Amino acid sequence: APIVADNMVFASSSYGVGGGLARITVAGSTQTAEEVYFEKKMACHHGGIVKVGDFMYSAGGGPLTCMDFKTGKIAWQARSAGKGSLCVADGMLYILGEGHDVALVEATPEAYREHGRFQVKPHGKPAWAHIIVTGGRMYIRDQESLTAYNVLRNGAAASK
């Protein structure tokens, strides 16, 4: 899904494509899109890109990438849990890598700061599910299983 903020739209794809930001202007009944930047490193294979403040995060191209929304400048990249899906809750990124690793990372442009990691049970195929955090619980559906974890207020996984 694209990221929309004010009159700007960021959209991305994978398979070596990347993503770009367009500025949308309206004159009467006409809308015009103008490219602001394009960054091949901000790919989204599956699992989306999230925007927190002025920065976007994606694990869709392999490394977890933090990029300035307005300029396209990469703040940092880290191996993290590998290519996969992510969501944000309470200032933390919850990442599910294809290899079944789950990582908890601060959503900050300053540096990569991992707060924990564990593995979910593999089912013989890559984990392509979208991780969800809501109501104090983290849900992971993978193939034939659904697992819920209680999540502490500071973002750490508490119990299964």
Side-chain angles (χ1 to χ4, degrees):
I3 305 251
V4 179
D6 300 321
N7 66 332
M8 308 287 226
V9 178
F10 183 87
S12 180
S13 185
S14 192
Y15 299 105
V17 176
L21 184 71
R23 179 180 295 109
I24 310 300
T25 55
V26 178
S29 62
T30 304
Q31 295 181 353
T32 306
E34 172 190 0
E35 183 178 302
V36 176
Y37 65 80
F38 194 88
E39 175 53 66
K40 202 168 184 169
K41 291 180 182 177
M42 189 53 114
C44 183
H45 190 248
H46 59 80
I49 295 174
V50 297
K51 182 176 179 289
V52 181
D54 292 332
F55 290 83
M56 295 185 296
Y57 301 86
S58 175
L64 178 61
T65 302
C66 173
M67 185 174 88
D68 187 299
F69 177 77
K70 294 177 184 171
T71 67
K73 181 181 176 193
I74 303 289
W76 52 260
Q77 288 188 297
R79 184 176 172 99
S80 193
K83 182 171 78 172
S85 67
L86 78 162
C87 73
V88 64
D90 298 324
M92 302 297 282
L93 300 169
Y94 293 78
I95 304 156
L96 172 61
E98 285 184 325
H100 304 91
D101 282 337
V102 176
L104 182 67
V105 177
E106 277 184 52
T108 178
E110 296 169 7
Y112 177 81
R113 295 185 186 132
E114 186 173 304
H115 286 251
R117 180 186 295 245
F118 68 94
Q119 249 198 355
V120 294
K121 179 183 173 187
H123 297 290
K125 297 180 181 178
W128 287 352
H130 294 198
I131 195 167
I132 300 293
V133 176
T134 185
R137 288 197 170 80
M138 174 177 62
Y139 297 92
I140 301 173
R141 182 207 47 82
D142 185 36
Q143 303 300 323
E144 66 261 4
S145 71
L146 172 64
T147 310
Y149 298 85
N150 289 328
V151 179
L152 295 174
R153 190 156 184 77
N154 71 359
S159 64
K160 185 174 165 183

